Amino acid sequence: MEKFLTWVTDNQELIVSYTIKFVVAILILIIGKMIANSVAKLIGRGMERKGVDGAVISFLSAIVKSVIFIAAVLMALSQVGVQTTSFIAILGAAGLAIGLSLQGSLSNMASGVLIITFRPFRAGEYVEAGGVAGTVQEVNIFQTVLKTPDNKVVFVPNAQITSQPITNYSREDTRRVDLLIGVSYDADLHKTKEVLESVLKADDRLLEDPAWNIQVHALNNSSVDFIVRPWVNVGDYWPVYWDLMREIKIALDKNDIGIPYPQMDVHLHKETSQN
């Protein structure tokens, strides 16, 4: 006991110094944890105001909180005299190894954050993305869920979506219906245009503004092609498309305007034999 007291007396300054360093290290940990929580909450609130998905908010908040707390731990260890250079090197090597092993997953996660942040599509919209066309059901961290028109659920990796063009068919309120109608070369072009216009006028789902367009588009090998381009509300696109195709065929038949099919004329020449 006397030896211990003697050692304490002889090393009083050293003990005080290390005690202060230890207290400062604990304070660094406490303050670091408080800062980590505060920053994570601020980031979470900011993303909530932008409408970011809750799963992404919690995931990113956890990452930010962990990074800040790890930095506080390293500062605390350095305060008590522990060499943190080796720890940083180990963490860097571990982070690199984890990043390489999870490269695909990290790419999907980053793409998911981009999709949710920039909103090229939302739930309920019909899109063509990642080579798949369907209605968006939900956007997760690693994948986007689409439901195809034939009621199949497709899980598309987010990285596949952001690496290809995205076509959103539902973002605008109106959409143009593009029809290509071929008629016979014997048909009266003025009469054909009048018949097509009569079909369009009979459908009250077509919009007046923008106005529809009917023009001779091409002179093909066996037909004269008309383009018929009315505008409709997005929800009426396919019903109008199918109805117009049917009604145009009926109207052309009633007016004896033929719709040709590909054909080939073969000419045979008979050679006279010479004796």
Side-chain angles (χ1 to χ4, degrees), residues 134-154:
T135 303
V136 179
Q137 299 296 298
E138 58 181 314
V139 180
N140 298 324
I141 295 179
F142 299 107
Q143 59 197 4
T144 297
V145 184
L146 300 177
K147 181 178 285 187
T148 62
D150 57 348
N151 210 33
K152 291 186 294 188
V153 178
V154 183

Side-chain angles (χ1 to χ4, degrees), residues 7-24 79-80:
W7 180 86
V8 170
T9 303
D10 295 338
N11 297 276
Q12 187 173 2
E13 293 182 1
L14 181 64
I15 294 173
V16 171
S17 175
Y18 271 98
T19 302
I20 293 174
K21 290 181 179 181
F22 184 74
V23 172
V24 171
Q79 182 66 32
V80 295

Side-chain angles (χ1 to χ4, degrees), residues 2-268:
E2 292 181 0
K3 292 182 179 181
F4 175 74
L5 294 175
T6 303
W7 180 86
V8 170
T9 303
D10 295 338
N11 297 276
Q12 187 173 2
E13 293 182 1
L14 181 64
I15 294 173
V16 171
S17 175
Y18 271 98
T19 302
I20 293 174
K21 290 181 179 181
F22 184 74
V23 172
V24 171
I26 293 177
L27 290 175
I28 290 174
L29 288 176
I30 294 174
I31 295 173
K33 187 174 182 180
M34 293 173 60
I35 293 175
N37 292 333
S38 299
V39 172
K41 287 180 180 179
L42 288 175
I43 293 176
R45 290 172 183 171
M47 289 190 291
E48 283 179 359
R49 285 194 294 268
K50 291 184 178 181
V52 179
D53 186 78
V56 176
I57 293 175
S58 60
F59 185 80
L60 293 180
S61 297
I63 290 178
V64 171
K65 187 186 298 185
S66 299
V67 170
I68 294 176
F69 187 70
I70 289 173
V73 170
L74 293 176
M75 290 176 62
L77 292 175
S78 176
Q79 182 66 32
V80 295
V82 177
Q83 295 296 325
T84 58
T85 305
S86 57
F87 284 99
I88 295 174
I90 293 172
L91 288 175
L96 178 61
I98 294 173
L100 292 174
S101 63
L102 299 177
Q103 184 176 4
S105 298
L106 293 175
S107 177
N108 287 326
M109 183 193 70
S111 299
V113 173
L114 291 176
I115 290 172
I116 294 172
T117 302
F118 295 103
R119 294 295 182 94
F121 49 76
R122 299 180 177 88
E125 293 182 335
Y126 186 83
V127 302
E128 185 174 347
V132 180
T135 303
V136 179
Q137 299 296 298
E138 58 181 314
V139 180
N140 298 324
I141 295 179
F142 299 107
Q143 59 197 4
T144 297
V145 184
L146 300 177
K147 181 178 285 187
T148 62
D150 57 348
N151 210 33
K152 291 186 294 188
V153 178
V154 183
F155 298 85
V156 186
N158 289 330
Q160 181 176 326
I161 291 177
T162 56
S163 64
Q164 299 181 23
I166 300 171
T167 303
N168 191 326
Y169 295 99
S170 303
R171 181 58 56 89
E172 299 296 332
D173 295 331
T174 60
R175 187 177 173 189
R176 191 181 71 187
V177 180
D178 290 351
L179 303 177
L180 186 64
I181 307 299
V183 299
S184 170
Y185 269 92
D186 297 331
D188 185 323
L189 298 186
H190 294 290
K191 182 179 179 180
T192 301
K193 187 173 182 179
E194 291 175 357
V195 171
L196 295 174
E197 286 180 344
S198 66
V199 174
L200 298 187
K201 290 177 181 178
D203 196 325
D204 57 5
R205 293 170 297 181
L206 306 186
L207 302 177
E208 296 181 359
D209 185 22
W212 64 61
N213 190 18
I214 302 175
Q215 300 293 340
V216 175
H217 181 65
L219 303 177
N220 280 327
N221 294 332
S222 58
S223 66
V224 179
D225 291 342
F226 279 81
I227 55 169
V228 181
R229 294 177 174 174
W231 288 82
V232 298
N233 292 319
V234 170
D236 294 331
Y237 179 85
W238 285 112
V240 168
Y241 182 95
W242 294 320
D243 291 346
L244 287 182
M245 291 296 288
R246 182 187 67 250
E247 295 302 322
I248 287 174
K249 175 63 169 64
I250 294 173
L252 293 177
D253 289 344
K254 285 183 179 179
N255 289 273
D256 296 324
I257 299 174
I259 300 177
Y261 50 86
Q263 57 186 358
M264 180 184 296
D265 294 334
V266 179
H267 301 275
L268 300 177

